[in-house]
């Protein structure tokens, strides 16, 4: 087998620190994580004695909440916090899967 050379793509995104980002990062992260609480609420709504149409509307909103929260969180965080979050997550994923070969 031939030796493989790892090639990285140069990033043109500016780097920001947590101190530069401030409270917006914290609030945006809370929105992202908190939105996933909506999914376990769907069975609770379905078990209530509400009108079927109202149950469907509420469960639809709860089902779409995690997706929509990404837009809200990105708006709250702003570009610096978004780049910081993206860089941090990608670095952790690279470290996690660095030893596993691609299939």
């Amino acid at each position: 087998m031939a030796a493989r050379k790892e090639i990285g793509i140069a990033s043109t995104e500016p780097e920001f620190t947590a101190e530069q980002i401030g409270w917006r990062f914290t609030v945006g992260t809370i929105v992202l994580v908190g939105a996933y609480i909506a999914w376990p609420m769907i069975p609770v709504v379905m078990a209530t004695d509400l009108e079927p149409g109202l149950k469907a509307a509420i469960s639809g909103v709860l089902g779409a909440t995690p997706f929509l929260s990404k837009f809200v969180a990105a708006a709250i965080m702003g570009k610096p916090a978004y780049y910081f979050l993206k860089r941090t997550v990608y670095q952790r994923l690279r470290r996690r899967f660095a030893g596993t070969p691609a299939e």
Side-chain angles (χ1 to χ4, degrees):
M1 259 191 161
R4 294 183 188 179
K5 180 180 177 184
E6 187 171 323
I7 299 172
I9 298 173
S11 175
T12 59
E13 298 172 352
E15 292 194 16
F16 297 94
T17 63
E19 292 80 28
Q20 291 172 313
I21 296 167
W23 64 270
R24 301 178 101 199
F25 179 74
T26 304
V27 173
T29 303
I30 290 170
V31 168
L32 279 174
V33 173
Y36 285 95
I37 295 172
W39 279 348
M41 296 299 293
I42 293 173
V44 173
V45 170
M46 297 313 254
T48 63
D49 293 333
L50 297 172
E51 297 280 329
L54 185 58
K55 281 186 194 182
I58 293 172
S59 63
V61 168
L62 290 174
T65 298
F67 175 72
L68 296 174
S69 72
K70 289 170 184 54
F71 296 111
V72 172
I76 291 171
M77 288 181 177
K79 194 178 281 190
Y82 173 75
Y83 285 143
F84 176 78
L85 179 65
K86 188 169 91 169
R87 186 181 75 234
T88 305
V89 169
Y90 286 153
Q91 284 175 351
R92 289 179 190 241
L93 287 175
R94 279 189 209 114
R95 270 189 260 139
R96 169 89 167 98
F97 296 110
T100 57
E103 293 182 22

